[in-house]
């Protein structure tokens, strides 16, 4: 699943339309939208709201996370977007560095998350928002940083203060970045696929669990044995007569191990 | 291609930082207080990051030189290692770095002079020669065109003959060595594996033939050569595989220039191995019969001994016994 965290309904609207997302009934006071492997939550303004929304949709599965929103700054042109590679929380001074392994022509920039909108344009080469630090601190607890990214669209600078950004302009600015967003989502999907290979349940696991009873620690052993089986003999089934003749999991595991140790492998 | 440079505040104005930045004019530069802010966070995945590692330029503050593990022994009594760099351009599936670090980014410590000082001080503590192993947490030469570290280190060692440098590598980046006079107290040690093993496991590293070609050029230029057959990888055809391989390698070797050969089989601290399996659960090499003592993962003793004694026997048909060393705590 790719989770999109967006602060405002106006920022969410172009994404909902573009991806044909459907509203989902939800508890927790958040608006949630979903279709296929894309899920969008409207968090509300501020880092606490962003962290709460992120935690709200997190579960035990590994998701990719993308925070999309508007930001202010003087060193980029209004309407340009940037992937964020350094996030500083202004009030705590804490810093995060989202690792960049995705290939994207989108610019990159550092960002500071502030509690109040910036009155002036702020420092050079810096964007300002109100959500990213809360989002990143929370989402990076649920998955590796490569799969937790922020994309910000510049909406204001010292000449065009944030008070002048209304819902219509916010919506338009996000709309203009849909190609860049598409590209990043595509790249996150690929990374997620690689990550899923690392966590995949080995083939045959379900049948073993159905056939014999395994304690939790035995299930870990079984998983590793089946991974080994898959690596060494991907075309063969481990369900041979000798194994099927066993009544207890404590007989199955050593026999399976012995059979795996005997598989010949060549370089 | 490196497209991101993280630059630690302490080295932002260091001449080497400037030089390296100039090599990558298009790279995105990100400043950080300490390299560990970028390198150490838990929420990182080595395998994903290996797709596009960044280069972190940093300063090392302590522990420039450390006692080498017992497996690092090529005939000296006093063995040390140092790491001017963490992580490697290559991606060998058996490499402990992927089990030890969460980040695949390269860290380069640009304060080479502090390494020099520590090496000289350590060497001066001994009457006998002291050995210094580079390439413990990285490949000694793979990033040489960018770092210039080997060239720098050779100048230092040239002035201190009581300190012996081992540059351990799979790289063909040997220009810095060929462009300068040889020194007697340096061993260029090539890590080699049979071609099929290298192709299956030593991702992104030069092929065996390219390594042998580089080795030949260095040998011809007068450099002392080391051969590192570590790790030897178990498979059912290991006898023919390694016998043919040793024959192929020694066809390129001038025994006069051969300093040492070391031999060891695959072994890995338990926690590193567990991390490596998490990254690559379907790796064939990790699926081999291995014993796990909860501290160390290795081939079962019987397989290991059989394989090492076969390799030793084969090696001794090509070279003298005095130059053969074990990469274990026991001697050959
Ligand atoms: S060359 Fe050495 S340091 Fe580099 S990945 Fe391979 S084993 Fe690791």
């Amino acid at each position: 699943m790719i989770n999109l965290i967006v602060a405002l309904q106006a920022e969410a609207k172009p994404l909902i339309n573009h991806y044909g997302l459907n509203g989902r009934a939800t508890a927790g006071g958040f608006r949630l939208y979903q279709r296929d492997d894309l899920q969008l939550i409207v968090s509300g303004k501020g880092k606490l709201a962003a962290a709460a929304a992120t935690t709200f949709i997190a579960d035990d599965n590994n998701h990719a996370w993308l925070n999309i929103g508007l930001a202010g700054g003087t060193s980029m042109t209004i309407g340009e977007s940037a992937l964020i590679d350094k996030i500083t929380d202004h009030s705590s001074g804490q810093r995060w560095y989202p690792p960049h392994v995705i290939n994207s022509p989108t610019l990159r920039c550092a960002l500071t998350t502030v509690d109040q909108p910036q009155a002036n344009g702020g420092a050079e080469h810096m964007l300002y928002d109100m959500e990213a630090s809360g989002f990143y601190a929370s989402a990076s607890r649920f998955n590796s940083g490569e799969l937790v990214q922020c994309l910000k669209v510049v909406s204001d600078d010292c000449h065009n203060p944030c008070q002048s950004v209304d819902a219509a302009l916010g919506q338009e600015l996000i709309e203009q970045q849909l190609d860049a967003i598409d590209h990043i989502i595509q790249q996150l999907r690929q990374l997620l696929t690689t990550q899923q290979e690392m966590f995949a349940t080995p083939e045959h696991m379900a049948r073993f669990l159905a056939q014999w009873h395994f304690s939790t620690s035995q299930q870990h052993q079984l998983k590793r044995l089946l991974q080994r089986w898959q690596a060494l003999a991907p075309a063969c089934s481990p369900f041979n007569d000798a194994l099927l003749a066993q009544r207890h999991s404590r007989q199955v595991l050593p026999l399976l191990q012995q059979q795996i140790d005997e598989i010949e492998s060549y370089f | 291609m490196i497209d991101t440079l993280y630059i630690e505040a302490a080295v932002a104005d260091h001449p080497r930082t400037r030089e390296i930045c100039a090599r990558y004019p298009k790279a995105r530069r990100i400043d950080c207080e300490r390299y560990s802010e970028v390198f150490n966070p838990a929420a990182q995945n080595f395998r994903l990051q290996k797709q596009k590692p960044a280069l972190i330029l940093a300063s090392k503050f302590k522990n420039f030189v450390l006692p080498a593990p017992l497996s690092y022994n090529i005939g000296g009594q006093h063995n040390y290692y140092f790491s001017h760099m963490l992580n490697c351009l290559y991606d060998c599936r058996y490499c402990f770095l992927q089990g030890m670090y969460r980040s695949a980014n390269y860290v380069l410590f640009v304060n080479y002079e502090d390494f020099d000082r520590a090496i000289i001080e350590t060497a001066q503590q001994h009457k006998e020669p002291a050995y210094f192993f580079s390439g413990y947490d990285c490949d000694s030469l793979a990033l040489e065109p960018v770092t210039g570290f080997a060239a720098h280190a050779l100048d230092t060692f040239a002035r201190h003959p009581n300190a012996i440098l081992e540059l351990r590598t799979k790289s063909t980046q040997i220009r810095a060595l060929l462009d300068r006079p040889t020194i007697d107290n340096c061993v260029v040690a090539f890590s080699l594996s049979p071609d099929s093993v290298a192709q299956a496991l030593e991702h992104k590293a030069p092929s065996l033939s390219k390594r042998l070609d580089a080795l030949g050029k260095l040998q011809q230029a007068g450099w002392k050569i080391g051969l590192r057959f570590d790790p030897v990888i178990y498979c059912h055809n290991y006898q023919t595989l390694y016998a043919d391989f040793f024959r192929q390698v020694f066809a390129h070797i001038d025994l006069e220039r051969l300093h040492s050969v070391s031999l060891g089989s695959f072994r890995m601290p338990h926690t590193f191995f567990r991390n490596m399996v998490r990254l690559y659960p379907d790796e064939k090499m990790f699926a081999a019969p291995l014993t796990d003592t909860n501290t160390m993962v290795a081939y079962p003793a019987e397989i290991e001994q059989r394989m090492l004694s076969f390799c030793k026997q084969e090696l001794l048909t090509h070279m003298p016994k005095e130059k053969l060393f074990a990469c274990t705590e026991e001697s050959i």
Side-chain angles (χ1 to χ4, degrees), chain B residues 50 87-98 135-140 142 168-171 191 201-203 205 230-231:
Chain B
K50 196 72 191 173
N87 276 331
C88 181
L89 218 54
Y90 309 139
D91 190 15
C92 303
R93 200 49 69 241
Y94 52 71
C95 181
F96 76 104
L97 295 171
Q98 63 196 331
Y136 183 77
D137 289 305
C138 64
D139 182 285
S140 296
R168 191 171 291 199
T169 191
K170 290 188 176 89
S171 170
S191 295
L201 300 177
E202 295 170 355
H203 306 289
D230 181 24

Side-chain angles (χ1 to χ4, degrees), chain B residues 217-237:
Chain B
K217 285 182 186 150
L218 287 170
Q219 185 177 248
Q220 207 171 11
W223 291 91
K224 284 183 183 167
I225 297 298
L227 298 173
R228 306 290 170 254
F229 302 121
D230 181 24
V232 172
I233 302 295
Y234 176 72
C235 53
H236 282 75
N237 53 332

Side-chain angles (χ1 to χ4, degrees), chain A residues 191-261:
Chain A
L191 284 179
L192 208 49
T193 306
T194 308
Q195 193 186 45
Q196 276 154 3
E197 283 171 26
M198 299 178 222
F199 297 121
T201 305
E203 218 191 322
H204 309 299
M205 184 83 179
R207 192 172 156 196
F208 270 86
L209 294 181
Q211 186 108 12
W212 295 280
H213 172 76
F214 293 90
S215 69
T216 309
S217 93
Q218 284 178 321
Q219 284 183 32
H220 289 304
Q221 290 174 47
L222 175 66
K223 184 176 177 192
R224 182 62 200 133
L225 287 171
L226 292 177
Q227 285 171 339
R228 288 181 61 200
W229 184 282
Q230 216 162 293
L232 294 170
C236 304
S237 163
F239 293 99
N240 47 55
D241 292 345
L243 202 79
L244 287 169
Q246 306 307 315
R247 294 189 56 201
H248 297 290
S249 54
R250 59 177 184 277
Q251 298 157 333
V252 169
L253 290 172
L255 182 60
L256 185 60
Q257 162 144 11
Q258 187 196 327
Q259 290 182 351
I260 293 168
D261 286 348

Side-chain angles (χ1 to χ4, degrees), chain B residues 161-180:
Chain B
N162 204 39
I164 318 276
L165 171 67
E166 182 193 275
L167 294 169
R168 191 171 291 199
T169 191
K170 290 188 176 89
S171 170
T172 54
Q173 298 289 357
I174 53 171
R175 177 102 340 257
L177 282 86
L178 293 178
D179 282 352
R180 55 165 296 136

